[in-house]
Structure formats: C-alpha cells, structure tokens
Amino acid sequence: RALTAAGGLAHDQGDCLAARPLREQALTLAQRDGDKRVIAICLLNLASSLNALGEYSKAETLYAQALALNREVENRVGTGITLYNMANAARLQGNYARARELCEESLSLHKALGDQYGIAFALENLGAIAIDQKDFIQGRALIQESLAIRREISDQRGIAYCLVYLGTLESEEQHYAQARDLFQTSLGLYQKVGERVGIAACLETLFDLCIRMGQVRQGVRVWSAAES
C-alpha cells in the first residue's frame, strides 16, 4: 500500500520517472501475493505511468493484462477504468477508431453501474477524441457533459481537465479572453490539488494567450511564475 500511495503521488505530481520504479515494485509484491484484483490495479497504475512517458507498446501490454484480470475476477469498475485508460492511450497514438470503441464500451459499463466518476472520464475521453479530429461542436458538448458531472461530484482535478479542453476550444476560435479565464480557473484548481504538470501547462498557455492579446507585461509575469 505504501508503494502504491507513493507511486500515485509521484504520478499525480507529474514525476512519472519517479513513479515508475515505485509502481514496478508494487506490482512485483502484488504478483508474489497472488491477489488478482490487486495485481490488476498495479498493472493499470504502471501502464499509466509508462503511457505518460511515451512507452506506448509496454503500456498497451500491461493494459491488456489488467483488462484480462479484471474481467476474470468480474471487477466491472476496474474493467471500465482500464478501458478508458486504454482508450486514452490509443488516442494519443492517433488510433481514433480504436480509442472511440474502447471509450464507448467503458461509458456503457459505467452507466450500467451508475458510476458517475467513470462516466465523466469516459465522456471526457470521447470529447478529446472529437476535438483531436476537429469536431469541435461534438467535442464541446461531450466535455461540458463531463464537466457537469465533475462539478456534481466535486472532482476538482476532473473539473480542471475539462476547463483546459474548453479553454483550448476558445483559443482555437480566437476567443482569447474567454480562454484566459478558463485556464486561470483551471490553474487555481491544479494548484489546489498540487498537480505540477497541470500547473506548468496552464502557465505556459496563459503566457501564450497574453502575448496573443498584446498583454506583454502580464505575459512576462506569467512566464516568471512558470519558471519559479
């Protein structure tokens, strides 16, 4: 448990290089103990860190193993979580058809379970797929649906994710002031939950938006905050 917690903290703070060995050790211990549910969790955790590090092939292998174990022990929540993580990995590699297929299966499963957290994640992934394919209308609708659920269940990190997508859409449409407001709100949420990668990404985007809006001094202040 301590290794799992430490690995999760490092991953959530964006330090996937530190998370990887912790999650590898947790998996080794779980495999030694033989609890298939715990093994599936450890496989999923390690795959998520590998995926974030761009080691897609290794991540896919572990995701597949986690999915098989979750199905074997009839862990429907675990199955759904694994499916939307696999969908995100497929999306990042540009395999949108596969990503959508996995995500829709995950969404159906979480809806059957009444799992709002899982529903929100699956909707977010479907929205991200649509946005990647330049279907901004559909993407916005799906992200807003996910956002409404995240607000209902007080998922601060999830709210931040959704606001980043919506801010990106506003920026694509050259609505820079609206985009800035969304990224500033997201930044505050990332700071609240301590997600360093999200904080850095928001600061970099806010700097870019300030420059686009001709607010050079404000942009310099944002950049200084990003460097610190």
Side-chain angles (χ1 to χ4, degrees), residues 2 6 9 13 19 22 34 40 51 87 109 120 133 135-136 143 171 183 201:
L9 179 61
Q13 291 182 337
L22 293 168
N51 191 62
L109 183 53
Q133 295 186 292
D135 185 351
F136 295 154
I143 296 298
S171 181
F183 275 101

Side-chain angles (χ1 to χ4, degrees), residues 8-207:
L9 179 61
H11 181 92
D12 288 344
Q13 291 182 337
D15 194 350
C16 293
L17 284 173
R20 178 178 184 169
L22 293 168
R23 290 181 157 180
E24 287 173 339
Q25 292 176 58
L27 175 59
T28 298
L29 291 174
Q31 290 171 330
R32 185 189 66 188
D33 293 339
D35 187 325
K36 291 182 179 180
R37 284 179 177 264
V38 177
I39 293 170
I41 292 170
C42 291
L43 285 167
L44 176 60
N45 289 342
L46 179 54
S48 296
S49 291
L50 291 172
N51 191 62
L53 291 168
E55 297 187 32
Y56 300 124
S57 179
K58 292 180 181 178
E60 285 178 357
T61 298
L62 296 181
Y63 279 135
Q65 292 174 7
L67 182 62
L69 282 176
N70 277 315
R71 284 179 164 154
E72 181 182 342
V73 300
E74 299 182 349
N75 182 354
R76 299 175 71 196
V77 172
T79 298
I81 292 171
T82 305
L83 285 167
Y84 66 62
N85 275 278
M86 292 175 73
N88 186 52
R91 178 183 71 83
L92 291 174
Q93 296 176 78
N95 191 348
Y96 299 120
R98 177 62 173 160
R100 186 175 292 105
E101 176 187 353
L102 291 164
C103 220
E104 287 174 349
E105 184 181 353
S106 175
L107 179 60
S108 295
L109 183 53
H110 285 295
K111 282 183 174 180
L113 294 169
D115 178 11
Q116 295 297 97
Y117 185 85
I119 291 169
F121 252 113
L123 287 169
E124 178 197 323
N125 271 343
L126 284 169
I129 293 165
I131 291 169
D132 283 354
Q133 295 186 292
K134 305 300 181 182
D135 185 351
F136 295 154
I137 294 175
Q138 179 71 0
R140 188 189 302 275
L142 289 163
I143 296 298
Q144 287 175 333
E145 190 176 352
S146 177
L147 177 60
I149 295 172
R150 258 71 184 264
R151 283 176 167 157
E152 184 178 336
I153 63 177
S154 299
D155 177 8
Q156 300 300 303
R157 183 177 275 106
I159 292 169
Y161 294 159
C162 290
L163 292 178
V164 164
Y165 281 116
L166 294 176
T168 300
L169 287 172
E170 293 293 347
S171 181
E172 286 279 350
E173 296 170 354
Q174 299 184 11
H175 301 154
Y176 298 131
Q178 293 93 323
R180 178 199 58 203
D181 293 344
L182 289 164
F183 275 101
Q184 284 177 335
T185 303
S186 182
L187 173 61
L189 292 171
Y190 280 134
Q191 290 171 329
K192 184 177 180 181
V193 300
E195 184 164 323
R196 291 185 296 182
V197 171
I199 292 169
C202 281
L203 286 170
E204 289 179 13
T205 302
L206 284 167
F207 169 76

Side-chain angles (χ1 to χ4, degrees), residues 200-219:
C202 281
L203 286 170
E204 289 179 13
T205 302
L206 284 167
F207 169 76
D208 180 66
L209 288 169
C210 287
I211 299 304
R212 289 172 182 264
M213 296 169 69
Q215 299 174 351
V216 178
R217 289 184 179 179
Q218 179 64 19

